[in-house]
Amino acid sequence: MSEQIKNITGNVLCDATATFLNGAGLAHGEDQNTVIPKTFKETVNGRKEEVPYVSAQAWRRWLRNTTNEENGWQPSELHAIETNAKGSTSKIATELDPIMYPEDDLFGYMKSGSKGEESIQRTSPFKTSILRGIPKMRALTVDNAFVFPKDGTPLPYSTRFYSTHLEGFFNLECYRLGRFVNIPSRMELATELINKYKEALIKEIPQKNVEVYTLQNAEQLRKERAAGVLKGLVHLRGGAKMAAFGADVSPKVIIFAGMSSANPCFNNLYIGDGGHPKLNIDLLKELADDYKDKLQTPIYIGIRKGYLENENEVKTLAGDNFIVDSPIKIVEMFIDKYLE
């Protein structure tokens, strides 16, 4: 990886116009026939405002699935690994194999050992926020409908949905891909896998009680897996209730850069005071200046034509410090430059 990029830090903005992407169950009280989306309260100008959002768990699952599909990677399926006395599942885990399954390497895993078994935990190298509606551009409404049975009276039901633009940020710790640290309190790589892949692993003991296992082809693997998750991000697809509230959740704006630090600095980048979102260019320039000693690449800006209110102004940023193109092309350019 050119310049040994340690992190890829970025931001996405998705169009969530008239959608229901992540449910929170049924309404409380007497309104038990209304399905509601996830929201939280935020104080705006002294009053509480309801903010639609998609949980990190939900959109990370979309990303895992999309990334596997876009790269032809074999999914690391969830399995029941323990049941309780009643036969119900009490513990689940993926394949727990970050060498064979890129998904496990990128998104981490955990298995709590019992009865003398090893406890395995790899915190996710790919870290994210929730996807939250940007200020001044979030509206919720209710769709009322009926089910008409063959016999009996119509049954009413309602769905609460929203129109907004969902912003989220992320950081990928590239340097951790293909590298696994085992300490007594936390093992990232199971003993079984160490023995299974011993010919492909380089072992180091940097200090007492610390064992580090690095794949011999780690540098190439990091490029492939970092490129793979960027492809997944820019082609992102998923969401609840797609049959009735279908949406293209692939980012209409994606902004990212290679950085030596893990600061997820590209956040709260949008202004919602017009018919379309605006990119806060002054803030982006300030971030570029503040983090110039941490940036290992130019800042890549991918925008879908006609989406941003200040699209023409954004395009004038193109130069040595900023690269501007469409979302898919900007990811392809970054991969060609740094991850091939």
Side-chain angles (χ1 to χ4, degrees):
M1 194 176 294
S2 177
E3 296 185 72
Q4 290 293 308
I5 294 174
K6 293 192 68 179
N7 299 272
I8 297 175
T9 296
N11 174 289
V12 293
L13 186 65
C14 305
D15 184 0
T17 303
T19 58
F20 181 110
L21 295 171
N22 192 196
L26 296 175
H28 298 294
E30 297 179 0
D31 195 9
Q32 290 292 302
N33 288 327
T34 301
V35 182
I36 59 174
K38 286 188 179 292
T39 62
F40 67 93
K41 298 287 188 179
E42 184 174 80
T43 302
V44 179
N45 296 326
R47 63 181 181 83
K48 294 289 186 180
E49 184 173 308
E50 203 166 8
V51 183
Y53 75 96
V54 174
S55 71
Q57 179 186 19
W59 85 270
R60 284 169 68 89
R61 173 46 60 188
W62 307 347
L63 180 58
R64 291 170 78 122
N65 293 343
T66 306
T67 300
N68 285 333
E69 292 166 5
E70 287 297 317
N71 295 282
W73 292 345
Q74 184 176 353
S76 180
E77 302 286 0
L78 280 170
H79 300 277
I81 60 172
E82 190 172 303
T83 57
N84 60 27
K86 296 181 178 179
S88 300
T89 299
S90 57
K91 290 183 182 179
I92 60 174
T94 64
E95 300 290 349
L96 306 171
D97 185 342
I99 297 172
M100 181 64 66
Y101 299 92
E103 181 181 353
D104 280 346
D105 193 15
L106 285 159
F107 295 97
Y109 44 81
M110 182 177 69
K111 175 188 175 185
S112 178
S114 58
K115 300 177 183 178
E117 292 181 336
E118 291 178 332
S119 292
I120 310 299
Q121 181 182 4
R122 177 167 173 79
T123 58
S124 175
F126 187 80
K127 296 174 170 59
T128 65
S129 68
I130 63 172
L131 296 176
R132 61 190 290 273
I134 65 172
K136 299 182 181 180
M137 299 193 82
R138 43 206 190 199
L140 291 102
T141 191
V142 175
D143 175 54
N144 295 310
F146 292 88
V147 175
F148 294 90
K150 184 176 181 180
D151 301 309
T153 59
L155 178 66
Y157 72 95
S158 300
T159 304
R160 199 158 185 248
F161 66 99
Y162 48 82
S163 287
T164 189
H165 303 269
L166 296 167
E167 178 184 13
F169 55 88
F170 63 88
N171 183 76
L172 173 62
E173 297 168 329
C174 301
Y175 67 94
R176 289 183 56 206
L177 300 178
R179 181 177 183 270
F180 315 101
V181 180
N182 284 2
I183 60 177
S185 61
R186 189 193 70 248
M187 295 183 62
E188 289 193 335
L189 198 62
T191 300
E192 176 187 358
L193 295 182
I194 293 171
N195 294 330
K196 180 179 179 179
Y197 298 113
K198 61 183 178 182
E199 299 300 325
L201 293 167
I202 300 170
K203 179 181 178 180
E204 301 172 85
I205 305 179
Q207 62 190 72
K208 186 179 179 181
N209 294 326
V210 177
E211 297 178 349
V212 178
Y213 296 89
T214 306
L215 282 165
Q216 293 188 18
N217 65 336
E219 189 57 38
Q220 184 58 36
L221 177 143
R222 287 170 186 149
K223 292 179 180 180
E224 292 172 358
R225 293 183 175 179
V229 81
L230 286 176
K231 291 175 186 176
L233 265 175
V234 79
H235 291 284
L236 186 66
R237 49 189 174 267
K241 288 189 171 290
M242 280 295 174
F245 297 92
D248 173 14
V249 297
S250 62
K252 300 302 178 286
V253 184
I254 183 168
I255 297 170
F256 61 95
M259 294 185 67
S260 60
S261 68
N263 300 86
C265 56
F266 300 118
N267 58 76
N268 294 313
L269 292 182
Y270 304 98
I271 302 167
D273 60 2
H276 296 273
K278 289 182 181 178
L279 177 61
N280 190 334
I281 291 176
D282 289 339
L283 174 56
L284 193 60
K285 288 179 177 178
E286 179 181 277
L287 291 170
D289 185 58
D290 283 353
Y291 286 91
K292 60 179 180 290
D293 294 335
K294 305 292 186 184
L295 287 165
Q296 295 181 282
T297 72
I299 296 173
Y300 281 68
I301 305 172
I303 56 172
R304 181 64 62 217
K305 186 175 180 62
Y307 182 70
L308 289 178
E309 186 90 8
N310 56 343
E311 176 183 336
N312 291 334
E313 189 180 357
V314 173
K315 288 181 176 179
T316 64
L317 289 172
D320 293 338
N321 297 323
F322 299 95
I323 310 293
V324 184
D325 213 308
S326 73
I328 290 175
K329 286 181 180 177
I330 213 71
V331 166
E332 291 173 347
M333 291 165 66
F334 187 90
I335 291 171
D336 288 344
K337 178 75 173 178
Y338 299 103
L339 303 177
E340 289 291 345

